[in-house]
Amino acid sequence: MTTPAEIKAKKRATWAWALWDWAEQPYPTMMQTFIFPVYLASAVAAEGTNVDAQIGVATAIAGFLLAITAPIVGRRSDETGKRKFWLVTNTYLLVAIMLASFFIQPKAEFLLAGLVLYGLGSVIQESAFINYYAMLKSVTTEKNIGKVSGYAWGLGYVGGILLLVISLFGFIKPIFGEPMPDGMGVRLTFLFAAGWTAVFTLPLVFRVPEIAGKPGHKKESIAQSYRSLWRQLVLLRRQAPETFKFLISSAVYRDGLAGVFTFGAVLGTLAFGFETSDVIIFGIAANIFAGIGAGVGGLLDDKIGSKKVIMGSLIGLIAAGIGLFILAPIGPLAYWIFGLILCLFVGPAQASSRTFVSRFTPHGREGEVFGLYQTTGRAVSFLSGTLWTVTISVAHTAFHVENATIYGIWGLMLILGVGVWLLSRVNAKPAVLDS
């Protein structure tokens, strides 16, 4: 029988786990999307530098590193009982990267160091997510797992809005005082981000218990880890082929979704002339729209099914991306309209993807399949960075387009289009054999 003290400890662990989504929010919101890449593109890079393509190269390299390490990260933390250890370790490595970003001065010679920090942070963050998602079942029950997951997701959006408001009016364009020279206001937001993550991760450190290692586990070599992964995929394909096909299709389109956020702010800066403050204001609106989209998508998911929500969202994203490209000549208004439409559809596509996996995973293999869900997603995470860079480079070199950043949209839309085609081949209500 569960004692009152154990129930209380479980609730504290659940709250502490959910709070990590709030704690790590500075990295995706400020460092990966709306402030750091914009700072690199607008203040650090020399005039005439193809920094949009260089950020794409950094993203592609990071994706390749994730592809070759992700199969090992999850398996080893499960086997050794160090899931929380590696989550906390990766979290504070992110803190170190945010601290180091403060030292990137607005001078061209600091661009390479900034790109390295940007790419390295992407690898570390995604490695942290593997262990974070794996913790979900240990801090929830079958009755509240969806509620807790959604609550944590919501905390992330709210945290992102608050972070951007404080960054804009507290540091970049302070309400009290004058803006600081040499990019110091922007650079101070990186210190603020590091402090936020360091402090709000502490509840997870002290409240969430570590998992036990598996008895008699043996240390795997890299080659053994990949062989084990291959056996898992072969078994899943035979036992639940529709789930397997969904993992493949979602790996493709989820990388397209990631690309929309990764390069969205850079697009606003280089193609539409947004300043850092403009991008942050857009980011606040983007988080609001993404949250609304996720909420509406969640309601529709229960009524019409996960696949229809995902398909509709992806088609909406592609239409908005094409509209943005066609109407780009009208200027920032096009970015505001179609950029927010893109954000509106990103939320439900992400949320319903996770729901689809939960609904159609073979009984008793949920943890394994969610691990594969993360791994397959990371395995193609180089696509968005690569195609973003290629489409910009082709436009610049083959068609002599001077400001070719807007052409990067076609690389992302191509990925989403392939994802739609692959998803269309997945049965919306597959029959799944139990283990």
Side-chain angles (χ1 to χ4, degrees), residues 32-385:
Q32 199 170 39
T33 306
F34 295 112
I35 299 183
F36 188 54
V38 173
Y39 174 66
L40 293 179
S42 61
V44 179
E47 187 175 349
T49 303
N50 292 328
V51 68
D52 47 3
Q54 292 184 22
I55 291 175
V57 171
T59 303
I61 293 173
F64 174 74
L65 292 176
L66 283 166
I68 63 175
T69 58
I72 302 169
V73 171
R75 286 185 57 81
R76 292 196 172 185
S77 63
D78 287 345
E79 295 287 331
T80 60
K82 292 185 177 181
R83 185 177 291 164
K84 187 178 85 168
F85 171 82
W86 284 114
L87 173 58
V88 172
T89 297
N90 285 323
T91 299
Y92 283 100
L93 284 174
L94 281 180
V95 170
I97 286 175
M98 289 185 277
L99 290 173
S101 299
F102 170 80
F103 297 98
I104 302 299
Q105 299 180 31
K107 299 176 183 178
E109 57 264 33
F110 287 87
L111 178 59
L112 179 59
L115 291 171
V116 170
L117 288 175
Y118 183 79
L120 183 61
S122 297
V123 176
I124 293 172
Q125 185 203 31
E126 293 297 337
S127 297
F129 270 127
I130 292 173
N131 288 305
Y132 179 62
Y133 288 159
M135 278 184 175
L136 178 58
K137 282 198 171 184
S138 66
V139 297
T140 59
T141 65
E142 290 185 4
K143 293 182 179 180
N144 70 359
I145 186 170
K147 178 182 177 181
V148 171
S149 178
Y151 175 67
W153 206 305
L155 274 177
Y157 283 128
V158 173
I161 295 169
L162 184 59
L163 282 160
L164 292 174
V165 169
I166 295 174
S167 296
L168 179 59
F169 298 114
F171 298 100
I172 297 172
K173 286 192 174 181
I175 296 177
F176 303 104
E178 295 294 326
M180 289 171 276
D182 296 326
M184 184 57 69
V186 174
R187 291 161 62 195
L188 284 175
T189 66
F190 306 149
L191 297 183
F192 167 58
W196 175 293
T197 299
V199 171
F200 288 114
T201 297
L202 292 176
L204 183 142
V205 174
F206 294 111
R207 297 295 188 186
V208 178
E210 183 62 278
I211 63 170
K214 294 183 179 179
H217 79 273
K218 296 180 181 179
K219 187 175 180 179
E220 284 187 335
S221 66
I222 294 176
Q224 288 172 328
S225 294
Y226 277 102
R227 282 196 293 268
S228 297
L229 174 67
W230 179 254
R231 286 195 295 270
Q232 287 178 322
L233 288 171
V234 170
L235 180 60
L236 181 67
R237 185 175 184 274
R238 183 170 61 249
Q239 181 183 1
E242 297 301 320
T243 304
F244 176 82
K245 287 196 293 185
F246 176 72
L247 289 179
I248 302 302
S249 66
S250 72
V252 174
Y253 73 69
R254 280 188 292 137
D255 191 54
L257 297 176
V260 169
F261 269 111
T262 299
F263 301 111
V266 174
L267 181 67
T269 302
L270 298 180
F272 294 94
F274 277 34
E275 296 181 356
T276 301
S277 57
D278 300 321
V279 172
I280 292 175
I281 292 171
F282 178 84
I284 294 169
N287 275 275
I288 294 172
F289 271 68
I292 293 172
V296 173
L299 295 175
L300 290 175
D301 194 302
D302 290 331
K303 295 181 178 180
I304 65 175
S306 300
K307 180 181 174 180
K308 289 182 179 179
V309 172
I310 300 169
M311 288 285 287
S313 298
L314 294 178
I315 292 171
L317 281 160
I318 293 170
I322 294 173
L324 177 58
F325 180 85
I326 293 173
L327 296 178
I330 72 174
L333 180 61
Y335 183 80
W336 272 100
I337 294 173
F338 291 101
L340 291 179
I341 293 174
L342 283 165
C343 294
L344 186 68
F345 286 116
V346 165
Q350 292 174 323
S352 289
S353 295
R354 181 165 58 185
T355 304
F356 191 101
V357 178
S358 297
R359 286 178 172 170
F360 304 119
T361 296
H363 180 68
R365 298 182 62 192
E366 294 85 357
E368 175 191 327
V369 174
F370 264 111
L372 292 173
Y373 178 71
Q374 285 299 102
T375 297
T376 52
R378 301 286 68 79
V380 297
S381 57
F382 60 89
L383 284 177
S384 61

